Amino acid sequence: MSGPLLLEARDLRVDYPLPARGLRRATNVTVLQQVSLTLADGQSLAVVGESGSGKSTLARALLRLLPLAAGQVLLRGEDLAILTAAELRQRRRDLQMVFQDPYASLDPAMTVAEILSQPLRVFAPELSAAQRLDRCAAALHEVGLQPAHLQRYAHQFSGGQAQRIGVARALIAGPAVLICDEPVSALDLPIRLQVLQLLAAQREQRGLALLFIAHDLAAVRYLCERTLVLFAGRVMEQGPTASLFAHPRHPYTRTLLAASLRADPQAAKAAAAQRRALAPAAAVPAGQSAVAGCAWAPRCHLAQAQCWQQQPVLRQVGDVQVACHRAGELA
Ligand SMILES: Nc1ncnc2c1ncn2[C@@H]1O[C@H](COP(=O)(O)OP(=O)(O)OP(=O)(O)O)[C@@H](O)[C@H]1O
Ligand SMILES: [Mg+2]
């Protein structure tokens, strides 16, 4: 179930500075390009893609934790770039984040009570110290921990418990959007499921919108209605999770799914059938590089001259959007 548009990214571009080294001058490297997405109230969107594809950069760009080289981030229709620092701090109440490594994201010198009080001091300054402590205890209870845990430090918890504290910290000020950057990948398998169930329950209860960055595609299926596939900083494909997984249109999405589903015999069968639908690898045309064309072309079995020369733009194919010149031809 989803409501009005909450978060929107329009044609984001992010460059990182590349310092001078040896004979090379200092320059910029573009790691995110023309990335657009929308998230409605209560909606869940997964961002998937291999390591280095730009997922964390996208999360940081949405939170305005790094500068945009181009594009806009709109929260409830308001461009975050035109806000003062104080206004931006207030809007962050609506946009909270859960990080991959719970220990690294929790200050080791602070008790849980101090960690959970921080957002309340900023976003609910009217609360007395006693009221804040009550809110911290309630937040811990919601994530399955006890009030007695308030006086402990992060290193005194298991990984799963520490991540529950990370979730409590993100939720305590009542955000509308939760951005989770691989929130369970540092956890043991059985604990992963518990934390995913916690996120699903909190999302349901609070009507939260969720942007969920993950490598684990089973978790994506479990949590997210829509999925966006990133490769080399560009959107390759996006659409409803169910149809994107059942019938991936982009050759990269097919490769990603095939790689992640190898452990599951039934899924492996489906993936093998999909791979058979791919033609033999295209030879690299002399003198071509993928810079002008599709970033996936060097690894794509379907690449032809156009793919090397022309950047594919997102277009509607069935109920997904896909950036591939040959997407419509795939079985
Ligand atoms: N501070 C930085 N300075 C320069 N380059 C960076 C910086 N942070 C990330 N990068 C580069 O930007 C690209 C995208 O990185 P990012 O961390 O967003 O990828 P990711 O998809 O989150 O990967 P992973 O799945 O491993 O977390 C990578 O090529 C990375 O090397
Ligand atoms: Mg990352």
Side-chain angles (χ1 to χ4, degrees), residues 266-327:
Q266 264 207 331
K269 236 168 126 183
Q274 281 170 7
R275 276 199 302 277
R276 278 197 294 278
L278 301 177
V284 179
Q288 292 285 0
S289 81
V291 173
C294 174
W296 182 244
R299 287 158 65 186
C300 184
H301 289 246
L302 297 177
Q304 54 188 18
Q306 185 189 22
C307 307
W308 290 91
Q309 290 157 6
Q310 191 188 341
Q311 185 67 50
V313 292
L314 277 175
R315 63 193 166 99
Q316 198 73 34
V317 178
D319 59 353
V320 300
Q321 287 188 311
V322 55
C324 172
H325 293 301
R326 304 202 56 194

Side-chain angles (χ1 to χ4, degrees), residues 35-119:
V35 173
S36 297
L37 60 84
T38 59
L39 195 60
D41 251 334
Q43 216 174 39
S44 52
L45 172 68
V47 177
V48 301
E50 65 191 37
S51 191
S53 55
K55 304 181 298 294
S56 298
T57 301
L58 174 58
R60 289 199 290 271
L62 292 172
L63 286 157
R64 297 308 309 259
L65 294 176
L66 46 75
L68 297 179
Q72 286 176 301
V73 178
L74 306 161
L75 182 65
R76 301 186 200 282
E78 188 176 47
D79 186 348
L80 296 185
I82 59 171
L83 301 178
T84 63
E87 287 170 334
L88 184 60
R89 226 180 355 264
Q90 280 306 318
R91 299 309 186 278
R92 288 229 175 91
R93 178 186 192 147
D94 264 344
L95 274 179
Q96 288 290 316
M97 180 137 175
V98 177
F99 298 88
Q100 177 174 2
D101 181 346
Y103 294 114
S105 68
L106 300 173
D107 188 331
M110 293 170 102
T111 63
V112 172
E114 287 164 344
I115 289 170
L116 296 181
S117 292
Q118 264 185 334

Side-chain angles (χ1 to χ4, degrees), residues 1-271:
M1 199 59 71
S2 55
L5 199 57
L6 190 59
L7 184 66
E8 185 178 6
R10 291 186 187 159
D11 287 330
L12 298 191
R13 195 182 110 203
V14 173
D15 296 342
Y16 283 122
L18 203 60
R21 195 167 175 187
L23 294 177
R24 192 191 64 209
R25 287 190 189 173
T27 179
N28 283 331
V29 53
T30 298
V31 295
L32 214 59
Q33 275 193 79
Q34 292 184 320
V35 173
S36 297
L37 60 84
T38 59
L39 195 60
D41 251 334
Q43 216 174 39
S44 52
L45 172 68
V47 177
V48 301
E50 65 191 37
S51 191
S53 55
K55 304 181 298 294
S56 298
T57 301
L58 174 58
R60 289 199 290 271
L62 292 172
L63 286 157
R64 297 308 309 259
L65 294 176
L66 46 75
L68 297 179
Q72 286 176 301
V73 178
L74 306 161
L75 182 65
R76 301 186 200 282
E78 188 176 47
D79 186 348
L80 296 185
I82 59 171
L83 301 178
T84 63
E87 287 170 334
L88 184 60
R89 226 180 355 264
Q90 280 306 318
R91 299 309 186 278
R92 288 229 175 91
R93 178 186 192 147
D94 264 344
L95 274 179
Q96 288 290 316
M97 180 137 175
V98 177
F99 298 88
Q100 177 174 2
D101 181 346
Y103 294 114
S105 68
L106 300 173
D107 188 331
M110 293 170 102
T111 63
V112 172
E114 287 164 344
I115 289 170
L116 296 181
S117 292
Q118 264 185 334
L120 292 178
R121 285 180 200 278
V122 178
F123 300 123
E126 72 283 0
L127 295 179
S128 68
Q131 286 170 325
R132 253 197 322 269
L133 207 59
D134 282 349
R135 288 275 289 270
C136 294
L140 274 193
H141 177 72
E142 282 200 66
V143 298
L145 296 174
Q146 317 301 323
H149 290 137
L150 282 171
Q151 299 316 320
R152 288 208 210 161
Y153 293 87
H155 71 270
Q156 296 173 308
F157 293 92
S158 69
Q161 286 175 323
Q163 194 56 302
R164 285 171 188 272
I165 295 165
V167 172
R169 178 182 55 184
L171 294 180
I172 197 162
V177 185
L178 192 61
I179 298 182
C180 297
D181 189 357
E182 303 199 39
V184 297
S185 57
L187 307 177
D188 291 340
L189 269 181
I191 310 297
R192 282 186 191 188
L193 186 60
Q194 292 174 11
V195 174
L196 288 174
Q197 284 167 338
L198 168 68
L199 286 172
Q202 288 296 318
R203 194 191 146 219
E204 177 82 21
Q205 279 168 30
R206 295 165 177 261
L208 271 178
L210 182 70
L211 191 120
F212 183 72
I213 295 172
H215 280 282
D216 178 356
L217 299 187
V220 166
R221 270 185 214 253
Y222 173 65
L223 273 179
C224 298
E225 298 145 6
R226 291 191 303 131
T227 296
L228 181 152
V229 182
L230 266 190
F231 177 73
R234 288 183 183 267
V235 180
M236 297 282 121
E237 183 164 5
Q238 61 176 334
T241 300
S243 47
L244 194 139
F245 277 49
H247 192 62
R249 306 278 182 166
H250 199 292
Y252 173 63
T253 313
R254 294 187 170 201
T255 302
L256 195 66
L257 289 175
S260 77
L261 298 178
R262 265 198 289 272
D264 173 347
Q266 264 207 331
K269 236 168 126 183

